[in-house]
Amino acid sequence: MAGNHPHPHGPDRHAPLAAGAPDGHDGHGDPAGHGDPAGHSSHHEHPHPHPHPHAHGRGGWWARMWHRVGHVVVPHSHETVDKVDAAMETSREGMRTLWLSLGVLGLTCAVQAVIVVVSGSVALLGDALHNGADALTAVPLGIAFVLGRRAANRRYTYGYGRAEDLAGIAIVLTIAVSSLLAAYEAVDRLLHPREVTHLWAVALAAVAGFVGNEWVARYRIRTGRRIGSAALVADGLHARTDGFTSLAVLLGAGGAALGWRLADPLIGLLITAAILMVLRDAAREVYRRLMDSVDPALLDTAERTLRAVDGVRGIGQVRMRWIGHSLRAEAEIVVDSTLTVVQAHALAVAAEHALIHAVPRLTAATVHTDHTTSAGTDPHAALAHHSAA
């Protein structure tokens, strides 16, 4: 089998895994050291493209505006894996941007909360809860990232990456509580209509929510592009679309000013629906992580890569699982029975090396070698009675 650690005696038999690709790239077309302030190669941590296939910079002003308004109704996902990537982890500037921008969102939420108390606007309450949930997610994520950097030990042999899954549960609970509170207040206001006072303050708070999100968007996008963080740029684009949720509060205030008393609670319900969509996506992502779900396309990539390794005669089972925001894999390959142990081991290392370059965010793979056999011969016959029926 091939692992990732040097042999305790003699030369390192896994030297190919420690070296970058021979052309000075990381296997994905990025210069070695991309995203690492120290300039070191980071081929073990390939940035995961954010699942956001829409083009933000094409189609003209109206197309971009329509796309952003659409996000108010079908908002972005708050998947924990999208909150940070390798470039951010290794960059103090990236993490500082994340915390500072979330601090701005927290301040925006606090200002809106004060005006909610004064005015009684449930639409503004929903927007404040939305911004507050965004800000509060930084707390469990920050704790998880600190824990995730701790080295593996004899009790936690795979390290502490699973702390991110626990953070995901905390985030889901935070979003759920905010959605329940927003829904309760909006329905109560529909059943017991009341006048919204200080409409000018509500309008200013809505504008403040938009400005706060837009500032966060510009700051995250600018820093993300400078340090090469796809996750930070994507989070900035999402903050920009969140600003339009705040502008929806402005519509509610306008309707109330014209005498339509139901405008405020109806906008509150719309924002609640947006939060519930975020909750659905977040809960689904956390569930999949807890159940060791991976994208089947990653397995397809791994299998194609293994078959292309010179000397591999066939492949068996390939498994993957997330540990934090990194992938680990187990794979079985078939090699020629005439190979020596040293040659078979070298082939397993080559297979692992190829996998690490081919599969985004894969940091290690355990490769088991089987040898070619004559028909009817099972090299694992001794284990057959341990297999599940």
Side-chain angles (χ1 to χ4, degrees), residues 153-325:
N153 54 48
R154 291 185 63 81
R155 181 175 294 275
Y156 298 98
T157 56
Y158 283 94
Y160 292 80
R162 288 284 191 180
E164 291 188 28
D165 296 332
L166 297 179
I169 295 175
I171 290 170
V172 167
L173 292 177
T174 300
I175 299 173
V177 170
S178 66
S179 65
L180 287 174
L181 182 56
Y184 173 82
E185 292 294 339
V187 171
D188 179 69
R189 187 59 57 86
L190 282 173
L191 297 177
H192 308 94
R194 295 191 299 274
E195 293 292 338
V196 178
T197 61
H198 300 83
L199 291 175
W200 61 271
V202 174
L204 288 177
V207 173
F210 175 78
V211 171
N213 276 289
E214 179 62 20
W215 184 91
V216 166
R218 289 175 180 270
Y219 189 36
R220 288 178 177 176
I221 292 170
R222 184 170 61 250
T223 303
R225 286 174 177 166
R226 184 163 59 246
I227 68 174
S229 170
L232 196 55
V233 171
D235 239 12
L237 293 170
H238 289 156
R240 178 162 287 163
T241 60
D242 279 346
F244 286 89
T245 305
S246 297
L247 290 184
V249 178
L250 192 60
L251 294 177
L258 294 175
W260 187 26
R261 300 175 67 185
L262 294 181
D264 184 71
L266 288 176
I267 292 295
L269 284 177
L270 178 64
I271 294 174
T272 299
I275 299 174
L276 286 174
M277 291 181 187
V278 170
L279 175 63
R280 178 200 61 187
D281 292 341
R284 180 175 57 195
E285 172 67 13
V286 170
Y287 168 78
R288 287 176 175 175
R289 284 301 178 87
L290 291 175
M291 293 298 292
D292 284 335
S293 171
V294 296
D295 185 350
L298 295 177
L299 290 178
D300 294 339
T301 299
E303 290 170 350
R304 285 196 304 270
T305 300
L306 290 172
R307 289 191 180 98
V309 174
D310 188 29
V312 172
R313 300 286 184 256
I315 63 172
Q317 192 172 48
V318 178
R319 296 178 179 178
M320 291 183 188
R321 63 166 52 175
W322 286 100
I323 300 179
H325 51 277

Side-chain angles (χ1 to χ4, degrees), residues 76-151:
H76 61 272
S77 168
H78 285 217
E79 298 176 2
T80 56
V81 75
D82 299 330
K83 291 293 183 181
V84 76
D85 62 10
M88 285 177 63
E89 273 199 337
T90 56
S91 170
R92 291 182 180 179
E93 185 180 6
M95 293 304 293
R96 182 171 61 249
T97 299
L98 179 66
W99 287 106
L100 181 59
S101 59
L102 288 174
V104 170
L105 287 180
L107 179 61
T108 301
C109 170
V111 171
Q112 290 180 325
V114 171
I115 298 178
V116 165
V117 174
V118 173
S119 66
S121 170
V122 294
L124 185 59
L125 173 63
D127 191 42
L129 290 171
H130 189 185
N131 288 324
D134 256 355
L136 287 175
T137 56
V139 177
L141 281 173
I143 295 172
F145 297 149
V146 171
L147 283 176
R149 293 191 181 109
R150 297 180 62 179

